[in-house]
Amino acid sequence: MRHALHDYFHYSRAERDAAIVLCILLVALVLLPFSWKYLLPPDHGTWTPPESWISMVSAAEREKPSPAPPAPTVFGPYDPNHSSLEELVAAGWPEHMARSLVRYREKGGRFRKTEDLRRLYLMTDAWYQHLAPGCRIASAQPIAAASTLAWPGPRPRKEKAGVAPSFPFDPNILSEDSLVLAGLPPHIARNVVRYRQAGGRFREAAALRKIYGMTDSLFALLEPWIRIEAQDKPAPADSTDSHQPEKAQAAPHEPIAIDINQAGPEEWMRLKGIGKGYAARIIRFREALGGFARVAQVGETRGLPDSVFQAIRPALVASPVLRKLDLNTAGVSALAAHPYISGMQARAIVAWRSQHGPFVQPADIRRTGLFSEKEVARLLPYLECSRQTQ
Amino acid sequence: MTWHQHPFARWLIPLVVGAALGIALDRPMPWLTWPALGVLAALLWLLHRHPGLALQRFWFGVTFSALLMVVGYERAINHHQIRWADHYARIAPDTCWLVVEVAGEARIKRSLRVVGRVQAAGPAPDRMQPVAGKLLLYLGIDTNAVPRLWWGDRLLVQGVLQPIAGPANPAAFDFRQYMRWQNVHYRLWAAAGDWQKVSDGSGWSLRRRAMQVRAHLLARLARWFDSEETFGVAAALVLGYREALDPDVRAAYADAGAMHILAVSGLHVGLIMGLCYLLLNRIFFFRTWRGRWPRALILLSVLWGFALLTGLSPSVSRAATMFSFFILARLFAREVFVWNILAASAFILLAIDPFLLMQPGFQLSYLALAGILAFQPLLEKLWQPAHPALHHGWRLLALSLAAQAGTAPVSMYYFHQFPLLFAVSGLVAVPGAFVLLCLGLVALGCELVWPGAGWPFGKMLAWCTEGLNTVMAWLQALPAGTVHHIWLQPHALWLAYAALLLLAMGLHQRRFRKILLALALLVVGAADHAAFRYRHYLSPEWVAFQVRRHTLVGVAHKGTLWLWHDGVGAAALSHATDGYRAWKSIDSLVVLPLDAPPFEASWGQWTGQSWILPQGVVSTALLPQGTVPPMQWMQLVRPGQRIPTNEAVPSGSLWLLDEALHPAVRHRWQQVLEHAHQQYHDIAQHGAWVWEPGP
């Protein structure tokens, strides 16, 4: 050990000369970052970018798309707690903000008043000013000027003051606008219309008290003006209701039964709300899948509004899937062509198959670990396993 | 082999020790280091002027070693840019304008990712001051017009500075640490309208020119390829461009043990130098005495030109400095000692950038070559067949084995896997890389001289790359080709390298005691690793992982990890749990939907909406308001769970706010819990939460 240390630390003449040179270089290297600033011209503490940059920034700022929506834009009514993505976009919401709202809802978020819209991550003041008037929440309060958020605490239910009616009205007949003119608050007018659409009927004035949102004081104000006709008058068509855009897509009048896997474009177009475009998309989606396993899958067609799908749903009849994928023979391209299987999953299935042998039954796809339970349940109707000889 | 023949090897040791101390302590001590430098330098000069006694020559060595340690320490401290007085983080407000000079290759995915040097910062464009420091930028792009950024381009950016976040899950890859060793501590996201290029870089910049030339060559190369995957491999191999590598292809090469050929290193540089040397030797002038200087200058120019072209990665820098020394040694007719040249290149690179010591690429590059130099001659001697093909094959195999011996511990430490088929893949990959590199250089050379002339070589390159990819994919698909989820503790890594060093010394010096000591160290390391695995095997652990917008909870017990999730994809699940699986020595995985019951009551209770975890006593339901629970319990808060009013929050619990909660909902929970003085852990903000149940 002693010899090794001696050998390590002992420097010959040439090595000492080299070490001195290296020492000078290394000390210079250590000193360089500190001496560099003395070699450069002194700065004055601030640094001004060239004029051309400032004007370039100003021009870019002017050209920057303004955070406010481009005019003209029509902003329709919507319910942030219930409206679907398509309905929000139709109401004037930008798609990315509408997606943010839907995600907020899915995570358990709720809007109790219009100002709650400000909580959305992408909401700006400009957009709030445009979108807030169209907000229709069941217990909506008037738009407040304050921008602070009220965090939850015990919130006593407020009595909503109503407007005294100016004429008698029949809640079984009037449209929503007319009910509002008659003195009902908009949210209660909407609830009345919904109650009617669901098959309800007011047989006496006291039945109006049961409408959600109706308070004792408001009912007391309205009761003297309620006139209920004692005959089976059909309720007015609510398709002209401007606050419920989805109602324009009413269910078809004639009873139609469409086989979701056999119907051609003409049959799809017989349904109200389905035109040439939607019919073609539904059929294309069906072809890609190999057939619809459930009626609900028709609603997954890209671009088909949920309101339209709900309207046509009663007319749809399920039937067996047309075409299945053989897990043991399908190649990567055939698997990846299916809408429920991604390219990576297709490659992994083929690799798994080559490593572990053929699948015995479609449920064995769980063993690959590539799909969640929901995805497996969705995929199973499209899979089959042919017997393979090793 | 003596120290006198390897002076740089002698000098490297104290420099590395000093740099390592500086990195570990990270404490500036100018009151000690500056006077020490002055005193040591003066002492050195005195001892050099009066070298009469042998003792003085000994103390000269001690003094110089101490000086090298202080230099290493001081360089490591000074290199840490966050400590600089003019670092932008000290001056710039969180939301600010910055002038950034591009200092890296821009990578395009959903946004443009590039590292830059901040030159000025301030709250407004006309109120900026000069600053320094590196920054990681994510720039939003308009997909219709993706701008091209070159080295030295200046950008004006507006955004919010954010520190780079640490790992969100236990034993996950630490991106913050990885970037820290590149002196990048902050990042900034800028939308498409919040940044613009304000000036081009200087045309005289070598790196800028090299980047542009590489882009031009890549464009030529891309014409001969039909598939992105093969193009990515060829681009990485020939030009060192790794941004086009497909992740699946990268994984295939890593699993097969051939990842090293995708990094430009000594193999590539050696080939270039060999070809240049052969060409120059054909010309009489360069074989003469007068031609030695022009020959050396041409070789050095080509060498550093190729290094610049391929991005100056640590492996290329190592190879380029080594070959430079070889060229200079030949020029000055000096004897060449490979270990000394290896040490010299490491010395120079570490003196310039001490943080290279902590970068895996630098470590692997030097350890691989050290392993080859130490073990390949010994392995070759074991068998010397007469047949040339067998001889070359055995040499190649010995090369793979030796390189793997040098890099295996570090690879297992960083990447948690070991490719069992490295020897087989080495026999294919190394000659394959050689062929591909030759074809690539010839194709590009012909294309530059005569456009279109490179097509046949380019097509051959594409076919050969496709073939190599197929072989690697086949090797990857072989069962038990790779051992995954290996966890090596830091002290085990040191033990492994101490054992390897002793083994190499023992075999070279024929000292049986050193070999025995090496084997003893290996046995001790193996026993320690077994004890480590056994400890983790026995102790159960409950983990709430952080997965973006999802819930993922798990229980690790006796080599099995049970996971409950709400629709997490396979890739995200693997990303969140792979490091943890390696750390806990998990052999099997059971994945269940969130509402599946746990196997043991002590692991928790699913209430239909969230998890309740006992901390001592099993609690099966939310306690009614006003009840004081007999024991502490914890609850995982998920979407859909009703936020209690301030008065109705049960006391005596720990609340875990899941990542799946919307930020606004999570904020409301925090307000309610803070008002009720309840403890909570926000998984989205603070990362995964790990709990080890007590007895």
Side-chain angles (χ1 to χ4, degrees), chain A residues 8 17 47 57 107 151, chain B residues 10 48 128 156 660 668 671:
Chain A
Y8 179 80
D17 291 339
W47 178 85
V57 168
K107 298 302 179 193
W151 291 112
Chain B
R10 175 158 51 175
H48 180 58
M128 288 204 261
L156 192 61
R668 288 173 63 185
Q671 287 217 327

Side-chain angles (χ1 to χ4, degrees), chain B residues 4 39 135 156-157 162 166 233 239 251 253 308 322 328 337 346-347 378 419 432 445 555 574 597 604 614 624 693:
Chain B
H4 306 291
V39 165
L135 180 65
L156 192 61
V157 185
Q162 294 176 346
V233 171
L239 292 170
Y253 275 78
L308 274 169
M322 284 187 68
L328 291 171
F337 293 104
F347 188 94
L378 297 168
V555 175
S574 170

Side-chain angles (χ1 to χ4, degrees), chain B residues 355-422:
Chain B
F355 282 9
L356 282 174
L357 196 61
M358 305 302 294
Q359 292 186 21
F362 180 88
Q363 294 168 3
L364 287 168
S365 179
Y366 278 90
L367 288 169
L369 191 55
I372 290 170
L373 292 175
F375 294 110
Q376 193 198 7
L378 297 168
L379 288 169
E380 273 191 49
K381 279 185 202 167
L382 286 178
W383 185 41
Q384 291 174 333
H387 195 280
L390 282 175
H391 180 67
H392 286 302
W394 174 239
R395 280 186 73 184
L396 208 54
L397 192 61
L399 182 79
S400 287
L401 289 168
Q404 196 63 234
T407 57
V410 166
S411 289
M412 286 193 284
Y413 179 75
Y414 284 118
F415 308 120
H416 309 303
Q417 67 181 42
F418 182 74
L420 293 171
L421 298 171
F422 68 90

